[in-house]
Amino acid sequence: MHNIGILGYGTVGSGVAEVAKETGFLHVKYILDIREIPSVSNIVNDINILINDPEIKVICETMGGKEPAFTYTKLALEKGISVCTSNKELVDAHGVELSEIAKAHNCNYLFEASVGGGIPILRSLRQSCSHEKITNVTGILNGTCNYILTRMKSGQEFDDALKEAQANGFAERNPAADIEGHDTARKIAILASLVSGKKISYEKVLCEGITNISGRDFAYSEKLNMSIKLLGVYDSGQNKNYVLTAPFLVSAEHPLYNVNGVFNGIMIYGTMIDNLMFYGRGAGKLPTASAVISDVIECIKESGRNIYNGLNEEILNVSDINQRRDKFFVRVYDSDLEKVLKSFGHVSDEIKLYSDEFAFITENITLEEFNKLSAGLEIKNKLRVL
Amino acid sequence: MHNIGILGYGTVGSGVAEVAKETGFLHVKYILDIREIPSVSNIVNDINILINDPEIKVICETMGGKEPAFTYTKLALEKGISVCTSNKELVDAHGVELSEIAKAHNCNYLFEASVGGGIPILRSLRQSCSHEKITNVTGILNGTCNYILTRMKSGQEFDDALKEAQANGFAERNPAADIEGHDTARKIAILASLVSGKKISYEKVLCEGITNISGRDFAYSEKLNMSIKLLGVYDSGQNKNYVLTAPFLVSAEHPLYNVNGVFNGIMIYGTMIDNLMFYGRGAGKLPTASAVISDVIECIKESGRNIYNGLNEEILNVSDINQRRDKFFVRVYDSDLEKVLKSFGHVSDEIKLYSDEFAFITENITLEEFNKLSAGLEIKNKLRVL
C-alpha cells in the first residue's frame, strides 16, 4: 500500500480519491481542504501535516489556480515528495521552476491531467515520441467549447447552447476562460512547450474564442460539408513557430471532424511517425482523475529518481501571427460584392445563403494581407479554414 | 552513443536503421541478413557476432516469421540483451515464453511495433492505463484491408481495389493474411492479452475477412449513412470474453468511421477513463520503425531492470462466439421476403436497392439465434453492426 495526499477536494480531487481506492494499492492518507467536509474522515487543513509525514511520497495537487497551489507544491517538492497535478494554470505559470526544484530533490513534477483530461497525450509525447521531430500539433482541447459548437451544429444558437452546457455541468457559471479561448491557449502552450523543448507561456498565444460564432456560420459550414471547431494549433514549419487558439472550419474528412460533444482530440505530426491522433474525454471527474493517478503510478515506479518531464527554461521564439498563411472563410454584406471582387479578385466558393450577405473563402494569405485587402469592408465574421 | 543490432534488413529493418541515425544517439553496429547487401557496410550473417559483442545492449528483430526469429531472440535475451520487435506472429506464438526469459536475465522484450504500426497503443496501455479496467477494445488494425474498403466505399469493386493496393505496395503479392483477417486476429489477440492480463492466442479468435464484401454491401451502407470496416474486437462485458475479427457496419458518427486508407484506429473503453481512441499509420517503413525505436529508447532507460510488458502465462477463458449478441445486416433474395418476415418477425430497416434482393437489420441476437432463424434462407451476405 502506498500512501498519498490530495490537495483540494473538488471535482477532480474527489475523483482522485475514488480512482486511488479502485487501484487497491493506493491509500489516500490525507486530503487537504480549507472547507470542513464531515463525510471525509482524513481531511486536514495544514500542508505541514502532509509534507512532514515520511509515509507520503506523492501528493496530488487538484486545487487549481496559482496560490496556494504554487507554495504548497514547492514545499512538497523541496521535501522530495513528488507532485502530480491537473492544474494547467500553474504548469503554464511556474512549471519550469517547479520542474527544476523536483530535479534538485530527486522527485518528480508531472501534469498529464493538465491537458486533454484522460487522454494520455503528454506521456505519449514524452515516452513514445521523444525521438520524433514534431512539427505540428492541432487539438480540440476544451470540452465546453466543443459541446457548445456541437449543439450549434445541430441548430442551437450560442446562448442556448451555453445555457444547456451550464445546466449539464459542462460549463462554469462564469464561462469566460473557456468560451474566450484562454483554457485552450494554456493547453496548446503546454503542448507547444513539450514538443518544441522550449518554454512558451500562454500570453504569447493568439487567443480567439467562440463567442462570435453564429448559426449562420454553421449554415455555411454545413453547405461546405465542414464543421466549426475551436482549435489550439502549434505549427513549426519553415523555421516559423506559430501558436494560436482560434475557431476553424474543419472538413468532414478530417479525423477531428467527428470529435463531438465534451470529447477532445489532439492530432500531432512527426517527421517519422507521420500523423497521430488521440481522442478521449477532455474533462470530467473520473477521466481526469485517472490521468492524475497514471502520474502517481509513474512517480512510485521512478521513486528516488527524477525523470525528464519535457519542460525547459529556454524561451521559444514565437513568430508574428500576422505572417502566418491561412485560408479565411469570410462573411460580408451583400452590398460589398463589388468591393470584394475588386480587392480579393476572383473569389472561389462564393456562397449565397441569405439575402443580406454572402460568404467566400480566400486564397492562402497572411493575416496582414487579409487586413490590407479587407480595408473598407465590413467583415461580419471570418474564420480560418483548416 | 548506444550500439544496437538489427535482425533482418527488410522494409521495417531498413527503416529502423534510418530512424536510429536520425536520433543522433543510436548507432547501428550490425545488421544481420542472409542476403549480401553491398550498399550496407556493417552487414553480418552470424547471430553470434551480435550476441557476443558486449557493446550490444539492444537488438531490433524485424525479420518477421517464427524462425529463425524465435531462436535468435532467445539467444539474445539469454545473454541479457533486450529485444524490440515488430514481429506480431512471434509475439503471439512465443511472447509469454520470451518475456519470461527476459525477466530471468534482467532485460526486456518489447513489441510496440507489432500492433498499430506507429501508434503508441501498447505503451499507453502499459504505462497510462495499467490501473484501468479495460472492458472493450475495438480496432481497425490492418491498413491493407482498410485501404481496400476505403476504395470500395468510393465505388471500386474488391478485385480492383486489391490490385490497386498491391500496385501501391499496400498489399503483399499473396494478400491472404491481410484480407482473410489473420493479421487483424493476431493483433487483437495481443491487445486482448494485454488488457485482460491473460494469454489469448489468435487461433481462439473468430476470424472473418473482407473477401466476401461487395459493391452492393457498400451501396446499402451508404444508404444507412454507415461504412464497412474490418474490426478486431475484444469485449469482456457481463463476465464474457469475446474476441473476434470481422467486417462491421460503422455509423458516420462513430470516431472509427473517419479512419480511412492505410490508417489504423484503436478505441478502448476503461471503466474510469471512458472511451479513448488512438489513430495513426498502422504500417509503413518509418512509422513502424519509429515505434521500434521508442522501445529501444525505453530499453536503454531501463537498462539492467526488467519492466512488465503486459504478457502473462495464464490463459484467458474465451467465451463461445455463438452466444455473443449483435445486430446483423442481412442481404437475401427478393423471393425470400415472406420467409424472412415469418422467421425474423417484423423487420426493421428493410432496404430495397436492387430488384433481385433486399436487406434488413436484425434485432440484437446471438449468432446461434441468427443461424436458427435463417435456416432455409439463402443468405447473400451478412455483416455485424457496430
Side-chain angles (χ1 to χ4, degrees), chain A residues 19 118 120 123-124 127-128 131-132 252 254 258 272-281 287 290 294 302 305, chain B residues 19 118 120 123-124 127-128 131-132 252 254 258 272-277 279-281 287 290 294 302 305:
Chain A
V19 176
R123 183 167 288 101
S124 294
Q127 300 191 326
S128 293
H131 61 290
E132 283 282 338
H254 196 286
N258 265 8
M272 294 172 283
I273 209 160
D274 198 78
N275 282 319
L276 280 182
M277 187 181 82
F278 302 79
Y279 167 96
R281 289 203 177 267
S290 184
S294 73
E302 305 295 342
R305 76 173 177 179
Chain B
V19 175
R123 184 167 288 102
S124 294
Q127 301 192 324
S128 292
H131 60 290
E132 282 282 339
H254 196 286
N258 265 8
M272 294 171 282
I273 209 160
D274 197 79
N275 282 319
L276 279 183
M277 188 182 81
Y279 166 96
R281 288 203 177 269
S290 184
S294 72
E302 305 295 342
R305 77 172 178 180

Side-chain angles (χ1 to χ4, degrees), chain B residues 36-52:
Chain B
E36 297 284 333
I37 304 170
S39 62
V40 182
S41 58
N42 50 358
I43 200 133
V44 298
N45 50 32
D46 177 5
I47 185 68
N48 294 296
I49 298 170
L50 282 80
I51 62 173
N52 291 321

Side-chain angles (χ1 to χ4, degrees), chain A residues 9 49 108 127 141 157 161 175 207 234 267 269 294 337:
Chain A
Y9 197 68
I49 297 170
N108 290 290
Q127 300 191 326
L141 300 167
E157 276 298 337
C207 186
Y234 163 74
M267 192 141 193
Y269 177 83
S294 73
L337 178 55

